[in-house]
Amino acid sequence: ALAGTSATFNAFAAKPLVIGFSQVGAESEWRTANTVSIKDAAKKAGVNLKFADAQQRQENQVKAIRSFIAQRVDVIAFSPVVESGWDTVLREAKAAKIPVILTDRDVNVTDRSLVVTMIGSDFVEEGRRAARWLVDYAKKNPGKNLNIVELQGTVGSAPAIDRKAGFEEVIKGNPQLKIIRTQTGEFTRAKGKEVMEAFLKADGKNINVLYAHNDDMAIGAIQAIEEAGMKPGKDIVIVSIDGVKGAFEAMMQGKLNVTVECSPLLGPQLMQVAQDVVAGKPVPKRIVTQEGVFPAEVAAKEFPNRKY
Ligand code: GYE
């Protein structure tokens, strides 16, 4: 007798929330985990997710955002490839009354009302944590000068700018620590390897430390160091950021010295905040991810707990 009841209820059920999400690309293990987290969380929350991959290009993100506006999605979310150049398209979203949520990376806009909130890590602090580990290492090797080469992330991206700034802030004035070369490795393994090869050609045995803005570039560089006949993690001390499984594996093999955690698991928070915004609930302007630092000594013990 009750046949059709549930169909009736479904007909009256609220329409699913529609979120348009523009992702940076698929440049790293971190990014892959971030994409999985967002897609899984959308499914769990019953959100209709329109996902667009920008392949590391800002122009693709601008196009995706304009298409989300044209489709009148409920919320636009994105992780901006670079920090600047967003004012125009974000004003268009505001004019269309579509709230914008940033995940992972921040933008540089004068009018902060263009974004509802920003969910992600404190990249300056990550740079400081990497440097603090190195300052401790230097203390254990008194009198030894440590020449550092730096592999930067994507030029103009928030994590590349901030991780450099935080690192430099902490090593500044330390006579043992000096950056002798710095270049972008675009957050990829392939480019990290290529640039490390060039560093090794130029400075070879004078390099004591590699600071990589992400694990993938460190892993690429490890290959370059081995191919040059040197021992990564020993002849060259390696400090990197993210804390992906690949980094833990490298630490367990003694090839990486420490990774500073940066969590990509932002999906559940994004879905919650998007629902709150649409329901008219107040949300904080900045939601900071909590994370730790993992030196090689704890890698084997921590590995089974890693979720990305
Ligand atoms: O560290 C890197 C990725 O924006 C925090 O982007 C993210 C960075 C991450 O490609 O691996």
Side-chain angles (χ1 to χ4, degrees):
L2 289 176
T5 306
S6 67
T8 311
F9 278 124
N10 282 345
F12 285 105
K15 273 196 290 158
L17 189 73
V18 181
I19 302 181
F21 183 81
S22 168
Q23 179 60 292
V24 169
E27 74 283 4
S28 63
E29 235 184 286
W30 190 101
R31 189 64 54 196
T32 307
N34 181 243
T35 293
V36 170
S37 170
I38 288 163
K39 287 185 175 170
D40 283 358
K43 213 175 269 166
K44 270 201 198 111
V47 165
N48 176 0
L49 183 74
K50 297 184 182 296
F51 183 91
D53 179 336
Q55 300 183 310
Q56 299 243 62
R57 296 171 70 126
Q58 182 172 33
E59 59 194 87
N60 292 342
Q61 291 200 297
V62 171
K63 261 188 222 153
I65 293 169
R66 291 206 165 117
S67 129
F68 295 148
I69 296 172
Q71 294 172 61
R72 314 219 111 269
V73 300
D74 298 310
V75 173
I76 291 172
F78 75 115
S79 171
V81 180
V82 291
E83 267 189 350
S84 51
W86 298 103
D87 298 78
T88 308
V89 73
L90 291 182
R91 261 187 245 121
E92 290 166 22
K94 194 180 181 185
K97 299 197 168 55
I98 302 175
V100 173
I101 299 172
L102 297 175
T103 64
D104 162 35
R105 298 182 180 180
D106 209 345
V107 294
N108 199 345
V109 284
T110 36
D111 179 4
R112 218 41 220 186
S113 79
L114 295 176
V115 298
V116 177
T117 186
M118 151 71 197
I119 307 168
S121 309
D122 180 342
F123 299 139
V124 177
E125 184 55 26
E126 290 171 352
R128 289 190 195 111
R129 285 178 182 157
R132 283 188 203 121
W133 185 90
L134 202 56
V135 166
D136 277 349
Y137 175 84
K139 271 190 204 143
K140 289 177 202 146
N141 295 273
K144 195 175 173 202
N145 283 336
L146 300 170
N147 291 327
I148 305 166
V149 294
E150 178 184 33
L151 284 170
Q152 296 184 37
T154 303
V155 176
S157 70
I161 295 167
D162 294 351
R163 286 171 182 170
K164 182 165 187 51
F167 186 85
E168 281 176 348
E169 178 195 304
V170 171
I171 67 160
K172 207 167 124 197
N174 186 315
Q176 277 179 276
L177 300 170
K178 190 171 143 211
I179 299 175
I180 58 164
R181 269 176 210 278
T182 177
Q183 204 177 306
T184 182
E186 292 165 11
F187 278 136
T188 67
R189 287 188 189 201
K191 196 76 188 170
K193 177 167 189 255
E194 188 187 312
V195 176
M196 191 67 205
E197 278 165 4
F199 285 165
L200 287 164
K201 242 189 207 147
D203 291 305
K205 299 217 154 52
N206 288 326
I207 303 171
N208 307 108
V209 177
L210 164 65
Y211 169 42
H213 289 189
N214 82 343
D215 293 335
D216 284 76
M217 292 190 293
I219 291 164
I222 285 171
Q223 269 184 41
I225 295 167
E226 286 179 328
E227 284 171 19
M230 294 168 83
K231 287 204 172 67
K234 295 183 182 72
D235 297 331
I236 297 179
V237 165
I238 309 178
V239 182
S240 68
I241 301 180
D242 275 356
V244 297
K245 281 191 178 145
F248 279 78
E249 279 157 2
M251 286 195 288
M252 289 188 282
Q253 294 163 1
K255 297 177 180 181
L256 176 72
N257 300 78
V258 62
T259 186
V260 174
E261 186 181 34
C262 176
S263 176
L265 309 177
L266 307 175
Q269 265 174 319
L270 170 60
M271 300 310 144
Q272 187 57 56
V273 170
Q275 283 163 341
D276 289 350
V277 168
V278 170
K281 292 187 193 158
V283 296
K285 279 300 254 182
R286 180 76 172 92
I287 299 166
V288 184
T289 318
Q290 301 299 314
E291 13 206 45
V293 176
F294 298 99
E297 300 75 63
V298 304
K301 190 174 156 263
E302 285 295 330
F303 188 66
N305 306 326
R306 302 304 296 168
K307 298 205 163 51
Y308 57 91

